[in-house]
Structure formats: structure tokens, C-alpha cells
Amino acid sequence: MNTTTLKVSDIKSGKKGESGVMGIAKQNAKISRYLVSPSVLLLLAWMLIPLSMTIYFSLIRFNLLYPGENEFVGLENFEFFVTDESFAAGMSNTLLLVGSVLLITVVLGVLISVVVNQAFWGRGIVRVMLISPFFIMPTVNALVWKNLLLHPVSGVFAAMWTFFGAEPVDWFTEYPLFSIIMIVSWQWLPFAILLLMTALQSLDQEQQEAARLDGAGPVDIFFHLTLPHLARPISVVVMIETIFLLSIFAEIFTTTSGGPGYETTNLAYLIYSQALLQFDVGLASAGGLIAVILANIAAFFLVRLVGKSLTEKN
Amino acid sequence: MAKLTIKDLKKSYGDVEILKGINLNIYDNEFVVFVGPSGCGKSTLLRSIAGLEEVSGGNIFIDDKDITDAAPAKRDLAMVFQSYALYPHMSVRENMAFALKLAKQPKHIIDKKIMDAAKILELDALLDRKPKELSGGQRQRVAIGRSIVRHPKVFLFDEPLSNLDAALRVQMRIELARLHHDLKATMIYVTHDQVEAMTLADKVVVLNKGRIEQVGSPMELYHNPTNIFVAGFLGMPKMSFLQAKVISANSLGLTVELSSGVDMCIPVSSDGIAKGSTVTVGIRPEHIQITDKNNSNFTGRLDVSEHLGSDTYCYVNTDANEQLTVRTPGYYQGKYGDTVGLQVDLRHCHVFNNDGQSLYKLNRSAA
Ligand SMILES: Nc1ncnc2c1ncn2[C@@H]1O[C@H](COP(=O)(O)OP(=O)(O)OP(=O)(O)O)[C@@H](O)[C@H]1O
Ligand SMILES: [Mg+2]
């Protein structure tokens, strides 16, 4: 801001030939460059050092079980990571997890926030209760689900199944990924509801009344007014959730530990298991870089998606 | 083909009664304007007619069909909102087509209706724009267009011009008058603007605190207000009110003494007025003239003057310190603090009794 105004004054004073003002402006620009440089350097170091270390580790053999043998191996770690059967599983589980949670939270989020936006007795307390899961730590959340809800013997679900005379389900063995999706959705649904509920409050009342006079029923109003109005907040929800959902870890760690087999192993958990269960730092670094690339691809598409809906004139 | 009848309509929010029994007949092809102070229930009445508010009592009929409990869409009326309420994600064309599409009309008919409405409102070039890309006046025209395409029996307008600047408001006002003439539709219009009310209306309904004070043509309301509220509400600047005591009453009128000590004989019916009772005399600015103070027994001290170019409005304080508004020609140059003579056109004075009711004017035909 400051530098641009200075530039404008540069041009003006240059035309008049007053070199004094110009000199001060130049000096100011120089000073401001010096003043911002420490933070820029710090930020660069902050990003570059871990990144270059990761790149370095990914190119050497570096297993904590075999110290000393740190020779350069080129892209072997990458090849190994990608061709391992766990990688395909990790990739598809990550995508499945992110995709399903996004779908569930957005669809349910829209429906619930539209319902809660109606006036009814006790709306305030219902809203607070809908938001509250978001404030529970992921680890605690996962433990509650594991021990109190989904447990095949002592869980609430098992009690319900038995009450209706059905055989209790052992969720984490029979539907492991589905159970994780359920837990994570429960955690992130409040976030979607919070954003969408806030957005709904700015939905114009008179537009809805005009639509009612035009003969629109609740369903028409939902599809023609509410949903377009929510396009922007929905894309924000999708973007923010994706960033966090790509790195889901605690929920898997506390419940299934990636199993059975690789059925609930996502990329984050895969990298963890390579690095700390198999002590192969080189391999884990290669996995980390692949995850960075994947996240960037996702971010690229998301930013375009969100950017489009944000700049769209509506 | 649309007659609207409102019978004893009541509306409360909780314990607060907003509409306290409205009775009104609106005939086919009539342009009816609701006026009244802010918060008197104009919008509530309009929204009750539209079906957007559930009424607490009474009935509404369109062409003798009871629509009190009908859904808004089933009432066959269209409303134009103050904020326009255009659908922001739809183009002008889609905005206008929305109701027709919902009614499952065939595409070529929809297109034709939109083209007709666009032609009337000069929207042809704007059909593919979004509401955001339009000016205030254009948005207003789209909002009107959206109601025209449906060919409703009754149009409802809630302060449609209040968001526009003065020049555009005059233009839209003329367009609305033309539209009413072209469409031959029944229109109900809520406004704060006196000029809109006087120029557009066939019939003005003055509302106050949830009741109808008076219904009539603009001229009738202006010249023969039934009570002090209507008299004070209509007219810009306002009618001046002076306290007076009745000295004598006879068949020629009422002789009163103003608080400033001036006597005047006003030709109004003196039925039920006792000698010595107090009344209020109302005089419009155009019915007082400023004269030479030496030739007049009614004098006052000049306060502020407002020069409008064509006219000058002078505020004059009487000896009893009551304020009078006087219309003088534009060239009048009175100075602040001058003592001036006042000449009142007695035939056009209004007298209100203690309850604020107007006394019948004896020369009504001359009004
Ligand atoms: N939803 C509501 N709940 C409670 N009171 C309301 C509600 N809507 C309106 N009112 C009250 O009803 C009264 C009439 O409101 P209304 O909007 O009809 O006034 P209005 O004559 O249109 O005023 P304005 O000229 O300012 O638009 C006001 O006193 C208002 O406070
Ligand atoms: Mg209003």
C-alpha cells in the first residue's frame, strides 16, 4: 500500500522535476525493503530447510535399523513407495475417505442447516448441540466412538441391534473404512453446519416471499434460491475440509491402526507406518513428498473451483 | 375484472393488535394508495392481502371469492417489493419466466409474454443480464416486469420507488401511471410520498394506528378531510392549526376568537357546537396571504422563509405564539423578524371540534 502511493508520487514529482521528493521516495522504498527482509528470510528458511531435508532424505538410503549405510539411491525410494501394494490402498483409501466425508458433510450440512434455520421451540439449544462435536479432540472423539458407540459388546449400537433382535455388528472388523468415515463425518459435520447456517441468515426474506407469490413451493425455493445462495459457503467448506481430511491420522491411529490389512490406511498413516514402524526414514520422506504433490494437485483444483464460485457474479 | 373486498380485517403480533378492523372496497381497475405514518400497518395490510401474513380475523375477497386462507400463489395477485427482491442468481429473463415455468406454461407462450413485458418496460436489451448488473431503476422495472408477465388480477406495490433518486422517481411515477392505464389492472400501492399518493391514486386510504381514517379521491381528502389527522397528514407543507374559542354560532357559520385575539367568521355548520367551547381552526398555506400590517387586524412576526423559486413558504408566529405557514409568490422578500399582516381566505378554513372531527363546510361545492 505504502510503496504504491510512493510510486504515484514518484511519477508526479518526476514530471515536475522535483528530485528532492523523488529521492525521499526511493529511500523509503529501500528502507521498507530492509525492514521486511528478516521476516521474509525467516519464512523462507522455515519452508525451505524442512523441504530440502525431506528431499535429501528421500534420495538416500536411510533406515534407522541399519545406521551408516546412507548412500545415494536416486529415485529408488519413490519407486519402492509407489510400487508397494500399500500405496495403492493408501491412495484409494485417502480419496474414498475425503470424498465420502465431503459428500456426507455437505449434503447433511445443507439439509440440517436449512431445517434448523426454521423457527421452532428450543432452536438455540439444538444449534449449540449441533455445533459442539467440533470442539471435541479427534482422539477423544475416536475413543468415544470406539468404546462407547461401536464396541461389539458394550457399545450403544450393539445394544440397539440386540434390542431389535439382530446380531451386533463388529464395526471395525466388518466395515473398517465405513466406521472411520462415520467418525470423521461426525467430527466435521458441525463445521459445515456452522458455516452454512451463518450463510443462510443472509438469505433475503423478501426473495423467498416473492418466490412464494410466484407459486414456488418449499422444494422450488430450496433449489432455485437457497442452493445457489449456498454455492459459495459450500465451496469454502469443501476446500477447508479437504485440506484437513487429507491428513486424517488420530482417528485411524486410535481405532484401527490402519487395519485390518491396509483397509483403513490412508497416506498420512502409511507414511507414519513406514517411518516409525519400519524405521525407514528415506521411504517415509519419499511418501511425504508424494503426499505434498497430491495435496497440491487437490489444492489446485479446489482453488479453481472456489475461485470460480467466488468471482462469479450472482 | 378484479374487485377486492376487505371485511373487518384484524392482525395481531402476539398481544399487540396492528390492524384493528379494516373495511375496504376496491373496485376493478382502481389505483388505490395506502398512506399513513411509519408503523401504522400499511405494509402489514398489504402483506395480509398478499397472503404473506396470516390474519387474526376478518375476511378478504377477490371477486366475491373468499381468499382469506388461500396460499399466496393461489390468490392471483403479484407484489413488487421495496427491495425489488429479484432472484440474484437468475438473469432478467429467468426472473420473469420463473412464475410461468412453475405454472408449467409452454415455452413459446412464456417467451411471448416476456417479450411483451420487456417491450412495455423497455427491458429488451437487458434480458440476459443478472440483477447485479442493473441500475436501481432498471431493477425496479424488472420487478414490475416479473409481476406483469403473470397477468395477475391485482398488483401490490410496497413503496416501490423509495430506493430511487428524485429524478428517477418522477420518471417511474409517470411510467407507473401509464402502465396502470395500459394494463387496466387493479393496483394497490403503499407510499410515504405525498406527491405519489396525490398524482397516482384514484382512491387514497389514510391509515393511522391500524385503522382507516378516511377513504376518498385525493382531491376530496385534500379539501374535505373528515378529521384533524387526515387534514394534517395530507398537504406539503402541513396545514396550520390554531386554537380558538366559539363566540357565536348561526346559520352563516361559526364566529370564533383565536388565541391571538382575532375574530373570524368561518362558514361551517355549527351543529352541536356550544358557545364558549374550544375548537381548532385549520388553514392551508395557500389560503393565507401576507398583506400590509397597517390594513390588517391579524398580524404576526415573520420567522424563517423557505425560497423554492416558484413559491416562498413563510413561517409566521402569531401573537399567541402559534405557527402559521403561508405560501407567498416566489419573489416575496420578507425579512426575519418583520411584522406582517395576514389575510385568511375564510371559505377554505377548516374547523375541528374537540374530538378532532371536521365540521361540515357550508360551501362544499366551492371547494
Ligand atoms: N413480524 C413482526 N412482529 C411483531 N411486530 C411487527 C412485525 N412486523 C411488523 N410489526 C409491527 O407492526 C406495525 C406495523 O408495521 P408495518 O410494517 O405494517 O408498518 P408500515 O406502515 O408499513 O410502516 P413503514 O411506513 O415504516 O413501512 C409496526 O409497529 C411494527 O413494529
Ligand atoms: Mg412498510
Side-chain angles (χ1 to χ4, degrees):
Chain A
M1 205 51 223
N2 219 351
T3 49
T4 46
T5 45
L6 283 173
K7 271 179 199 156
V8 171
S9 70
D10 264 354
I11 296 162
K12 277 185 188 158
S13 59
K15 268 183 192 162
K16 285 180 195 160
E18 288 168 302
S19 57
V21 180
M22 208 167 148
I24 292 171
K26 242 183 200 165
Q27 220 173 331
N28 273 339
K30 217 184 226 174
I31 289 174
S32 56
R33 210 174 300 149
Y34 285 133
L35 288 175
V36 298
S37 56
S39 47
V40 171
L41 286 178
L42 193 70
L43 269 176
L44 268 179
W46 198 275
M47 277 169 48
L48 281 182
I49 292 175
L51 186 64
S52 33
M53 279 175 72
T54 314
I55 293 175
Y56 171 66
F57 288 153
S58 70
L59 298 175
I60 61 172
R61 183 186 312 278
F62 187 2
N63 194 313
L64 299 175
L65 293 179
Y66 311 101
E69 295 177 34
N70 290 353
E71 76 271 25
F72 183 77
V73 291
L75 295 178
E76 204 175 274
N77 279 325
F78 290 91
E79 200 192 328
F80 201 78
F81 189 86
V82 171
T83 50
D84 193 89
E85 56 158 334
S86 60
F87 176 72
M91 271 297 268
S92 66
N93 285 338
T94 305
L95 293 180
L96 212 59
L97 181 63
V98 173
S100 333
V101 174
L102 280 180
L103 194 73
I104 292 172
T105 52
V106 167
V107 171
L108 281 184
V110 168
L111 293 181
I112 292 177
S113 50
V114 166
V115 169
V116 176
N117 201 39
Q118 313 294 318
F120 59 87
W121 191 85
R123 181 166 71 162
I125 201 101
V126 168
R127 284 185 177 182
V128 171
M129 279 169 46
L130 279 171
I131 305 298
S132 54
F134 197 51
F135 299 109
I136 298 175
M137 275 180 266
T139 326
V140 177
N141 168 23
L143 282 175
V144 166
W145 274 85
K146 183 183 179 181
N147 296 327
L148 297 181
L149 295 174
L150 297 182
H151 197 280
V153 179
S154 57
V156 173
F157 281 34
M160 270 176 5
W161 258 246
T162 330
F163 179 81
F164 288 110
E167 187 73 15
V169 183
D170 187 357
W171 291 89
F172 287 113
T173 357
E174 289 173 50
Y175 311 102
L177 189 59
F178 178 76
S179 308
I180 301 283
I181 290 172
M182 212 152 55
I183 295 173
V184 177
S185 300
W186 187 80
Q187 174 105 40
W188 280 93
L189 185 57
F191 174 74
I193 293 177
L194 184 68
L195 249 69
L196 298 174
M197 213 160 64
T198 321
L200 275 181
Q201 319 228 298
S202 64
L203 182 58
D204 190 274
Q205 200 67 38
E206 288 196 340
Q207 281 168 24
Q208 296 180 53
E209 288 175 348
R212 271 172 66 199
L213 282 170
D214 271 349
V219 177
D220 299 307
I221 291 182
F222 176 78
F223 281 109
H224 289 104
L225 287 178
T226 315
L227 217 48
H229 179 78
L230 289 180
R232 201 174 292 197
I234 285 176
S235 54
V236 172
V237 167
V238 167
M239 183 160 87
I240 294 179
E241 281 194 10
T242 308
I243 292 168
F244 286 93
L245 293 178
L246 276 172
S247 57
I248 285 290
F249 179 79
E251 289 84 342
I252 298 174
F253 183 75
T254 26
T255 52
T256 60
S257 302
Y262 290 117
E263 276 186 53
T264 55
T265 300
N266 67 351
L267 272 186
Y269 196 84
L270 186 61
I271 295 165
Y272 157 79
S273 69
Q274 299 286 2
L276 288 170
L277 297 183
Q278 299 170 27
F279 301 102
D280 196 335
V281 177
L283 200 58
S285 299
L289 286 175
I290 288 170
V292 167
I293 293 167
L294 190 77
N296 271 302
I297 294 173
F300 175 76
F301 284 111
L302 287 171
V303 166
R304 280 190 46 164
L305 175 93
V306 174
K308 212 175 131 202
S309 83
L310 285 185
T311 51
E312 191 180 67
K313 286 191 187 114
N314 46 20
Chain B
M1 281 299 115
K3 198 178 97 196
L4 191 82
T5 311
I6 299 172
K7 280 218 178 95
D8 203 28
L9 190 74
K10 292 196 173 94
K11 167 77 192 167
S12 321
Y13 287 111
D15 293 341
V16 192
E17 199 169 40
I18 303 295
L19 299 179
K20 298 164 186 162
I22 301 282
N23 287 292
L24 188 62
N25 284 311
I26 293 170
Y27 301 106
D28 187 28
N29 196 12
E30 218 172 18
F31 200 121
V32 178
V33 174
F34 293 170
V35 292
S38 192
C40 67
K42 305 183 292 292
S43 299
T44 308
L45 178 54
L46 201 68
R47 292 165 55 81
S48 304
I49 295 172
L52 297 172
E53 304 280 354
E54 219 173 294
V55 301
S56 330
N59 295 85
I60 305 169
F61 303 88
I62 288 187
D63 294 339
D64 302 320
K65 194 171 134 240
D66 190 342
I67 56 155
T68 317
D69 297 316
K74 297 277 183 301
R75 298 185 177 205
D76 210 358
L77 33 78
M79 182 154 170
V80 176
F81 293 83
Q82 182 176 359
S83 67
Y84 317 136
L86 299 178
Y87 311 129
H89 308 276
M90 301 183 198
S91 67
V92 169
R93 188 193 304 277
E94 288 164 337
N95 260 284
M96 298 208 278
F98 189 59
L100 304 177
K101 273 187 195 153
L102 288 174
K104 304 227 162 46
Q105 298 209 2
K107 178 137 190 358
H108 64 276
I109 293 187
I110 296 181
D111 286 343
K112 175 154 187 332
K113 284 183 175 169
I114 291 178
M115 285 326 289
D116 289 348
K119 204 171 289 162
I120 296 175
L121 296 165
E122 292 165 29
L123 287 171
D124 314 56
L126 307 174
L127 283 178
D128 294 313
R129 295 221 200 147
K130 291 269 174 73
K132 268 220 173 120
E133 302 159 340
L134 300 175
S135 74
Q138 290 167 337
R139 282 182 210 180
Q140 187 57 69
R141 287 213 289 268
V142 176
I144 295 172
R146 194 170 63 179
S147 49
I148 291 182
V149 291
R150 290 174 46 201
H151 297 302
K153 285 184 173 164
V154 182
F155 286 89
L156 308 174
F157 297 90
D158 194 353
E159 305 192 31
L161 306 187
S162 58
N163 286 347
L164 303 179
D165 72 46
L168 201 51
R169 210 179 301 175
V170 174
Q171 187 196 334
M172 287 301 296
R173 198 171 76 209
I174 295 167
E175 285 183 25
L176 273 175
R178 190 176 44 116
L179 197 67
H180 176 235
H181 183 261
D182 290 351
L183 295 178
K184 305 214 182 315
T186 309
M187 293 188 172
I188 306 178
Y189 190 100
V190 168
T191 183
H192 267 122
D193 189 315
Q194 297 240 344
V195 184
E196 278 173 28
M198 300 301 276
T199 53
L200 289 173
D202 297 319
K203 183 149 102 186
V204 177
V205 178
V206 183
L207 288 161
N208 184 29
K209 294 182 186 147
R211 284 183 214 284
I212 292 182
E213 294 280 352
Q214 191 175 359
V215 180
S217 74
M219 285 307 117
E220 189 183 333
L221 261 59
Y222 189 80
H223 292 294
N224 297 310
T226 58
N227 58 38
I228 200 162
F229 176 83
V230 177
F233 189 79
L234 289 179
M236 281 297 281
K238 271 178 68 164
M239 183 186 278
S240 312
F241 295 108
L242 302 173
Q243 293 304 317
K245 212 165 79 200
V246 177
I247 296 177
S248 71
N250 58 36
S251 61
L252 284 179
L254 212 57
T255 307
V256 297
E257 182 188 318
L258 302 180
S259 348
S260 49
V262 182
D263 288 359
M264 45 176 68
C265 178
I266 303 170
V268 293
S269 148
S270 52
D271 286 352
I273 297 293
K275 214 163 120 180
S277 60
T278 54
V279 292
T280 305
V281 176
I283 314 168
R284 292 205 184 272
E286 62 266 37
H287 297 140
I288 318 179
Q289 276 171 348
I290 288 190
T291 56
D292 187 355
K293 64 180 171 191
N294 300 321
N295 290 346
S296 172
N297 59 348
F298 188 15
T299 59
R301 203 165 40 79
L302 202 55
D303 197 13
V304 178
S305 303
E306 290 177 339
H307 299 275
L308 301 183
S310 57
D311 297 308
T312 298
Y313 287 102
C314 300
Y315 297 90
V316 179
N317 287 323
T318 65
D319 295 341
N321 225 3
E322 288 169 314
Q323 197 175 56
L324 274 175
T325 313
V326 182
R327 190 178 78 181
T328 58
Y331 52 76
Y332 178 76
Q333 297 286 346
K335 276 203 290 298
Y336 182 88
D338 280 357
T339 303
V340 293
L342 296 165
Q343 191 186 351
V344 177
D345 187 347
L346 293 173
R347 285 171 310 155
H348 290 114
C349 283
H350 304 263
V351 182
F352 306 96
N353 68 14
N354 259 335
D355 302 329
Q357 294 304 309
S358 187
L359 300 186
Y360 191 80
K361 278 198 203 163
L362 293 175
N363 60 337
R364 195 162 270 227
S365 55

